[in-house]
Amino acid sequence: MQKIDVFDTTLRDGEQSAGINLNTSEKLEIAKQLEKLGVDVMEAGFPASSQGDFEAVKKIAQTVQSSIVTGLARAVKSDIDTSWDALKYGAEPHLHIFLATSPIHMTHKLKKTPDQVVEIAVESVKHAKKHFPLVQWSAEDAFRSDPDFLVRIVEKVIQAGATTINLPDTVGYATPAEYGAMFNYLKNNVKSIDKVKLSAHCHNDLGMAVANSIAAIQNGADQVEATINGIGERAGNAALEELAVALHIRKDVYQYETGIHFQEIKRTSQLVSQLTGMAIQANKAVVGKNAFAHESGIHQDGMLKDRSTYEIITPELIGETSNQLVLGKHSGRHAFKNKAVELGFDLTDEKINDAFKAFKALADKKKQISEDDLYVILTDQQIQEDDTPVYELKSVQVQYGNGSIPTASVSVKNPEGELLQEASTGSGSVEAICNTLERLVKGKVHLLDYRVTSIGKGRDALGEAVVNLTYNGKSSTGRDVAQDVLEASAKAYLNAINRQIVNERNRSFAKSV
Ligand SMILES: [Zn+2]
């Protein structure tokens, strides 16, 4: 069976989605999990876009060992040089350069003639090859480009040293037959195309990203680009877990395999959802909450007699185990640490101590602690960044009665270290908290979306709040977990504000270097 390489772009194309802004530790956490998942290449970010992105890509390149780490660059020298500074630490430094090739993009966006575009592409690849052994060149909007122009430019960039050619359907417009035909055409018309890897990159605007990617594979693509949970620009990218599982379950038809470790799919999906604040739709293929639920009586009856009657994928394949209760109130630090190591966490003694304190506090309120709870506690410790002063919630109190006006009083420590207090009313408890917090933070806040979900099952489950807002005109998503949803809401609100503060600081730093 032919092996297909999986190129993950959760941290670049996925992170580009509206409202997602991960900090460096969160990106690193996802990168480590992607390595466990067995992706061949991971795109860690766009190093020249901001100082924050640069630092994150560098950290990931220094940490990840068994996947190739790449970053995105425009076809300009300064982008390429900046990317080298971030990516040179990788075991096999890899750069991803893109340039638009469709008439619409060349005319309106680049304002260049096709000849000029060819020249810029060739120059950028030659420059990249001075540093990078591996250079992937992407023809942005390839699907809407003239096929013969594609043949011409691809031939030139291969001569210039490109090692992978990516042909994206940037706007998600292709049908499977058309997208496959494009790969077939290039395969048959580009000289020395067999010397390079061919890659597919599909967007899901018409819900065909996975089908299009598979059509590309059947027509000669060696690599597919995808994101966890299908997150990404607009309707998102091809979902990595769907692609990998579809190729695996229907290998009788496709005859391809990937290096994905299926057992890590569930955990990766949950981590990405948790850290990005992007919920997974319940009926989503492979990783949705209901993906393995059988509701109708006839189905349930069939399942009891033989699972294969209605089940084509088992939950065990993707690492979904019945969520055992693992630790309780009386578990000691040693048992806690062992469990953390077993779950794959590598924390300093100080962080283990902090996590253990959080565990004890939770165990006081909740009889038994599940694996899901532990993941949340330990991940939160792992992604703790302590260098930037931000807003910190000190206390929150809410007065609520169905006959009275909800009132919240909140105290926070501001980035300057001062303790501030305010009180305000609202039409509900959450609104009262938000109104109070808006008075406490400097700047204009507009709440866009607010969501509370439970982690795990049972009435004492942890509550997770996700707040999407604009702060001084820029959108940001914050999240937090607490036993009480009102406390989680207040913390998530501040978390969104804090991310914006850290981002602003990174941006002004980027301008000065
Ligand atoms: Zn894309």
Side-chain angles (χ1 to χ4, degrees):
M1 262 199 283
Q2 191 198 331
K3 176 172 179 264
I4 299 299
D5 282 353
V6 175
F7 177 118
D8 176 275
T9 183
T10 305
L11 293 172
R12 203 276 301 165
D13 218 333
E15 222 255 341
Q16 229 159 280
S17 332
I20 297 183
N21 38 16
L22 299 168
N23 64 33
T24 301
S25 336
E26 288 165 335
K27 286 180 185 171
L28 190 64
E29 216 35 49
I30 291 176
K32 288 195 283 189
Q33 182 58 34
L34 289 171
E35 187 181 20
K36 272 192 210 159
L37 180 67
V39 304
D40 299 279
V41 185
M42 71 173 82
E43 188 163 45
F46 191 165
S49 68
S50 75
Q51 187 65 21
D53 239 31
F54 177 88
E55 292 300 339
V57 173
K58 183 173 157 189
K59 206 65 171 278
I60 292 168
Q62 287 169 328
T63 310
V64 168
Q65 294 296 318
S66 50
S67 307
I68 290 173
V69 178
T70 190
L72 187 70
R74 289 167 299 180
V76 290
K77 276 191 174 150
S78 58
D79 267 31
I80 296 167
D81 295 338
T82 304
S83 303
W84 172 247
D85 286 337
L87 290 162
K88 62 185 171 195
Y89 305 94
E92 275 183 286
H94 180 296
L95 184 67
H96 178 196
I97 316 177
F98 73 100
L99 191 60
T101 52
S102 66
I104 306 172
H105 279 231
M106 288 192 291
T107 316
H108 300 293
K109 195 177 78 176
L110 300 177
K111 301 198 190 327
K112 299 271 189 249
T113 65
D115 287 347
Q116 287 172 316
V117 169
V118 173
E119 198 188 312
I120 297 166
V122 167
E123 284 313 307
S124 63
V125 170
K126 277 187 182 161
H127 186 70
K129 281 296 279 192
K130 287 181 195 159
H131 301 303
F132 292 90
L134 299 173
V135 174
Q136 167 167 322
W137 186 79
S138 276
E140 191 192 3
D141 207 14
F143 178 68
R144 293 193 300 175
S145 304
D146 170 48
D148 291 318
F149 179 63
L150 272 185
V151 167
R152 182 180 149 211
I153 194 166
V154 165
E155 222 162 72
K156 293 276 191 225
V157 295
I158 293 175
Q159 278 168 15
T163 49
T164 302
I165 298 294
N166 180 37
L167 304 173
D169 177 19
T170 305
V171 295
Y173 185 67
T175 65
E178 290 171 314
Y179 194 62
M182 176 175 72
F183 280 80
N184 190 42
Y185 191 75
L186 265 82
K187 206 74 188 160
N188 287 322
N189 290 283
V190 175
K191 265 183 248 137
S192 57
I193 191 92
D194 293 328
K195 282 194 201 149
V196 298
K197 260 206 293 184
L198 256 187
S199 175
H201 177 113
C202 296
H203 279 271
N204 207 29
D205 299 69
L206 297 176
M208 294 194 275
V210 169
N212 287 347
S213 306
I214 292 178
I217 294 171
Q218 291 178 302
N219 285 278
D222 315 275
Q223 171 180 288
V224 280
E225 306 196 357
T227 60
I228 301 301
N229 301 335
I231 63 171
E233 284 272 43
R234 308 182 308 276
N237 290 59
L240 190 154
E241 64 283 357
E242 291 180 19
L243 254 173
V245 169
L247 289 176
H248 173 71
I249 296 291
R250 296 312 311 272
K251 56 181 178 287
D252 56 324
V253 177
Y254 294 128
Q255 306 277 319
Y256 298 107
E257 61 184 358
T258 64
I260 293 300
H261 305 140
F262 297 104
Q263 287 287 308
E264 295 291 338
I265 286 180
K266 187 72 187 181
R267 168 71 190 131
T268 314
S269 165
Q270 281 178 331
L271 180 72
V272 169
S273 171
Q274 183 195 340
L275 297 187
T276 59
M278 297 279 281
I280 304 165
Q281 82 196 58
N283 62 327
K284 179 168 179 317
V286 182
V287 290
K289 200 173 77 193
N290 295 349
F292 303 104
H294 299 274
E295 283 300 325
S296 96
I298 293 171
H299 287 210
Q300 284 175 347
D301 181 56
M303 283 290 289
L304 288 174
K305 289 176 176 136
D306 189 309
R307 286 178 70 172
S308 67
T309 48
Y310 288 101
E311 192 171 75
I312 62 157
I313 315 167
T314 64
E316 291 79 20
L317 175 77
I318 61 154
E320 181 167 319
T321 47
S322 51
N323 185 32
Q324 324 104 310
L325 300 169
V326 282
L327 294 173
K329 201 176 160 157
H330 301 293
S331 306
R333 189 181 173 283
H334 192 67
F336 178 77
K337 194 181 169 180
N338 281 349
K339 194 69 205 176
V341 172
E342 194 189 308
L343 293 175
F345 287 88
D346 178 22
L347 294 165
T348 59
D349 275 354
E350 196 193 333
K351 289 199 166 182
I352 280 286
N353 286 342
D354 288 346
F356 185 62
K357 263 185 234 160
F359 159 74
K360 276 293 189 191
L362 182 63
D364 274 344
K365 298 179 192 165
K366 205 179 162 190
K367 268 187 247 100
Q368 284 185 303
I369 307 291
S370 69
E371 217 165 85
D372 284 348
D373 295 330
L374 283 183
Y375 268 122
V376 168
I377 291 173
L378 291 161
T379 306
D380 266 358
Q381 272 312 316
Q382 195 117 303
I383 57 172
Q384 213 66 251
E385 295 209 318
D386 25 37
D387 45 348
T388 318
V390 289
Y391 287 101
E392 205 183 308
L393 185 75
K394 286 295 169 191
S395 74
V396 55
Q397 202 177 355
V398 182
Q399 215 174 348
Y400 175 80
N402 58 2
S404 63
I405 298 169
T407 310
S409 57
V410 180
S411 70
V412 301
K413 199 164 90 184
N414 71 8
E416 290 76 39
E418 301 152 336
L419 195 66
L420 309 173
Q421 256 180 323
E422 270 291 352
S424 187
T425 59
S427 52
S429 303
V430 173
E431 201 198 343
I433 290 174
C434 292
N435 289 346
T436 314
L437 286 168
E438 190 174 351
R439 288 181 173 200
L440 286 166
V441 297
K442 277 187 221 145
K444 191 100 208 79
V445 185
H446 181 61
L447 199 67
L448 299 171
D449 196 14
Y450 166 74
R451 196 177 70 236
V452 171
T453 39
S454 69
I455 290 172
K457 298 178 182 85
R459 62 166 72 183
D460 58 357
L462 287 174
E464 179 183 51
V466 176
V467 171
N468 184 218
L469 48 74
T470 62
Y471 180 48
N472 294 328
K474 295 209 174 79
S475 91
S476 182
T477 304
R479 41 151 226 106
D480 208 283
V481 175
Q483 177 112 53
D484 184 89
V485 292
L486 294 178
E487 186 186 333
S489 305
K491 285 181 172 168
Y493 185 106
L494 286 179
N495 184 249
I497 304 278
N498 289 340
R499 279 166 196 268
Q500 206 55 265
I501 292 173
V502 174
N503 266 357
E504 280 307 313
R505 196 160 303 149
N506 283 337
R507 239 190 298 273
S508 53
F509 185 63
K511 265 184 236 144
S512 64
V513 290

